[in-house]
């Protein structure tokens, strides 16, 4: 949709991050992740607590040829993300874009952001 195409373009333009690793917290149905992958060279790690949304995301992204190669979707609570510290060049949220609120404290996810240059 235009919303996700525009949001991804604006995120990439404003942050200047077009390659590296991106964490998508609250990835919903994977639409933001799809557009970010389509418009950049990012490798995306998506976290979504809802099992049905995870399944839908994986199916849609696999159909688009992006799942497993450029995008991984995992079912985790946002405050229990098992990824390593400081890996993400960029952290975004489809849930924040969609609903205007983040269901997790920034403190719970900021440990994943690279300390120098991460956005």
């Amino acid at each position: 949709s235009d919303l996700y195409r525009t949001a991804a373009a604006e995120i990439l333009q404003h942050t200047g991050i077009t390659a590296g690793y991106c964490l998508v917290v609250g990835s919903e149905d994977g639409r933001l992740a799809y557009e970010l992958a389509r418009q950049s060279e990012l490798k995306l790690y998506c976290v979504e607590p809802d099992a049905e949304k995870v399944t839908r995301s994986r199916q849609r992204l696999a159909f688009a040829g992006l799942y497993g190669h450029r995008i991984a979707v995992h079912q985790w609570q946002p405050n229990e993300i098992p990824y390593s510290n400081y890996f993400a060049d960029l952290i975004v949220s489809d849930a924040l874009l969609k609903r205007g609120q983040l269901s997790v404290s920034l403190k719970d996810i900021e440990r994943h952001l690279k300390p120098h240059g991460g956005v």
Side-chain angles (χ1 to χ4, degrees):
S1 74
D2 288 338
L3 170 70
Y4 289 102
R5 273 190 295 279
T6 301
E10 288 181 7
I11 288 167
L12 297 170
Q13 180 183 4
H14 289 296
T15 64
I17 307 285
T18 59
Y21 295 95
C22 177
L23 173 60
V24 183
V25 179
S27 64
E28 296 288 325
D29 293 324
R31 292 178 183 168
L32 181 60
Y34 170 81
E35 283 298 332
L36 287 168
R38 199 177 68 73
Q39 297 181 36
S40 74
E41 297 300 317
L42 288 166
K43 293 192 183 280
L44 296 105
Y45 288 85
C46 303
V47 175
E48 172 57 48
D50 184 313
E52 290 179 22
K53 290 179 181 178
V54 168
T55 300
R56 272 195 309 269
S57 294
R58 288 175 178 166
Q59 291 170 344
R60 289 176 178 170
L61 294 166
F63 182 75
L66 294 169
Y67 188 74
H69 172 67
R70 295 273 310 282
I71 304 174
V73 181
H74 297 116
Q75 184 181 356
W76 292 102
Q77 292 299 323
N79 62 340
E80 298 174 350
I81 299 171
Y83 307 145
S84 65
N85 294 339
Y86 313 125
F87 85 95
D89 297 286
L90 179 65
I91 298 178
V92 297
S93 174
D94 195 335
L96 180 62
L97 176 65
K98 196 172 186 179
R99 291 190 294 279
Q101 63 182 21
L102 193 59
S103 62
V104 64
S105 163
L106 290 178
K107 195 170 201 158
D108 289 330
I109 58 174
E110 69 184 355
R111 71 177 182 90
H112 300 292
L113 189 63
K114 284 187 178 179
H116 300 290
V119 180

